[in-house]
Amino acid sequence: PPPGEPLSFTTEQWEAAWVTWPEATFVALAGDEIVGMAGLARDGDQPERAENVLTTVRRDVRGRGIARVLKETTIAWAAEHGLREIYTWTQTGNENMQAVNERLGYVTRTVSISLRRPLPLPA
């Protein structure tokens, strides 16, 4: 959604989109509240690879190393389960997560640019 708009989804939608490999999905807790999450998704083309599909931390607790610990946990889990590579996508505007990724050894291999325009296009 556009920045500032609240997210709205059901548990089923969340699980279908972001928890596709439950045993490779991890949460960070503050007491009994979930404050962060990171998870992997199998790469259907290359079984020795996985995508870090989402790492997210609640805004009010960011900057405390939670994202780094979550990513380190997914990396350790992947290594223990025979994966040889993890890849991720991080958009422009999320430089903090890009920095976390770089500190953990992720390298930029591909840059993707998405353009959108309403249809129909003018003649």
Side-chain angles (χ1 to χ4, degrees):
E5 288 189 21
L7 292 174
S8 178
F9 49 83
T10 66
T11 300
E12 293 77 19
Q13 289 168 323
W14 176 260
E15 290 174 349
W18 300 112
V19 187
T20 61
W21 197 354
E23 59 271 29
T25 302
F26 305 93
V27 297
L29 299 172
D32 60 355
E33 291 185 38
I34 295 175
V35 295
M37 181 224 155
L40 300 174
R42 290 181 175 95
D43 184 316
D45 296 327
Q46 298 182 40
E48 73 282 357
R49 293 178 5 141
E51 179 182 356
N52 181 195
V53 291
L54 177 67
T55 300
T56 187
V57 175
R58 205 172 69 190
R59 287 188 191 282
D60 64 323
V61 295
R62 288 183 182 169
R64 300 179 188 181
I66 296 169
R68 179 187 48 80
V69 170
L70 284 165
K71 283 203 175 234
E72 287 173 343
T73 302
T74 62
I75 292 167
W77 187 93
E80 290 170 11
H81 290 85
L83 296 173
R84 310 265 306 144
E85 181 181 355
I86 300 172
Y87 58 93
T88 191
W89 306 90
T90 308
Q91 67 274 23
T92 300
N94 196 353
E95 284 74 19
N96 289 336
M97 188 58 73
Q98 290 173 353
V100 169
N101 290 338
E102 289 172 9
R103 284 193 296 275
L104 291 173
Y106 286 85
V107 295
T108 300
R109 294 196 314 203
T110 304
V111 175
S112 177
I113 299 172
S114 297
L115 303 171
R116 294 185 182 150
R117 169 118 189 195
L119 294 176
L121 296 176

